[in-house]
Amino acid sequence: RDAKFEMPLNSFSNMERIEGDWYKSTTEDLNFGDLGQLQEVRYYFYKDHLASIRIRIDAKHINSLAFVQTFIDAYGEPTERIKDEIGGVDRWFWNGKKVKMCIGFPPIYKDGQFNPPNPNTYVYIDCIKLLNQKESDKKTKEIEEAKKIL
């Protein structure tokens, strides 16, 4: 919506810390058009800059395939689609130069009945630059810690 990756945390006036560096907006509009309501939107900040967004929907209230179709309509066909035959989780991936996104949801119907083991559909949207920086910083810290031991 109005959030842009790499925006500083202090540019958001409506964030409430959930845990660690994860926040939620106290004024979030969870309406997702004709499809219904989102269950939750979380924002992750790395070094006080927006790095990731997590969206959760309840498949009992929003048709997951219609939800995925809105992303296909907006961003084109996914780069990759994986259906886990063992766990039954469908995943769609979009891999851009600056942002990567994944939508995943468990099977919704079993024997024709609504019976998901976990009725939630998740959307993961990540800023590649900041997550790569986080990983690089983690490795640097591990090397520095190892040097102290030696």
Side-chain angles (χ1 to χ4, degrees):
R1 311 204 192 191
D2 290 333
K4 305 268 187 271
F5 285 118
E6 299 185 60
M7 285 177 65
L9 176 58
N10 64 12
S11 68
F12 296 86
S13 61
N14 54 350
M15 290 295 179
E16 176 182 285
R17 185 185 300 261
I18 299 171
E19 59 186 77
D21 292 317
W22 286 96
Y23 292 77
K24 70 177 183 177
S25 170
T26 57
T27 58
E28 187 79 51
D29 178 9
L30 297 175
N31 183 43
F32 200 73
D34 294 339
L35 292 179
Q37 293 287 113
L38 303 174
Q39 200 167 11
E40 178 181 57
V41 179
R42 290 183 174 207
Y43 301 87
Y44 173 75
F45 290 83
Y46 181 66
K47 293 187 175 181
D48 289 334
H49 288 83
L50 182 59
S52 296
I53 300 171
R54 299 290 182 264
I55 302 169
R56 182 167 47 112
I57 68 166
D58 184 336
K60 289 184 275 190
H61 303 292
I62 293 181
N63 178 314
S64 294
L65 290 175
F67 182 77
V68 170
Q69 188 60 50
T70 63
F71 284 87
I72 292 171
D73 292 346
Y75 303 108
E77 288 296 321
T79 310
E80 182 178 12
R81 180 176 179 192
I82 298 173
K83 182 173 178 117
D84 180 354
E85 297 300 329
I86 296 170
V89 176
D90 276 336
R91 292 184 192 93
W92 288 262
F93 297 90
W94 287 262
N95 295 310
K97 292 179 182 177
K98 296 181 179 183
V99 175
K100 63 181 179 177
M101 179 170 62
C102 173
I103 300 175
F105 65 85
I108 306 230
Y109 292 94
K110 182 177 181 179
D111 301 324
Q113 299 294 318
F114 182 79
N115 188 21
N118 174 357
N120 295 316
T121 293
Y122 293 92
V123 180
Y124 303 92
I125 309 168
D126 300 312
C127 174
I128 294 169
K129 176 183 173 184
L130 288 178
L131 292 186
N132 286 346
Q133 181 63 51
K134 178 182 175 186
E135 188 61 31
S136 175
D137 291 349
K138 180 181 174 187
K139 287 178 183 176
T140 299
K141 184 177 179 181
E142 289 170 354
I143 290 169
E144 290 172 1
E145 292 297 321
K147 286 179 180 177
K148 288 179 186 177
I149 295 171
L150 301 175

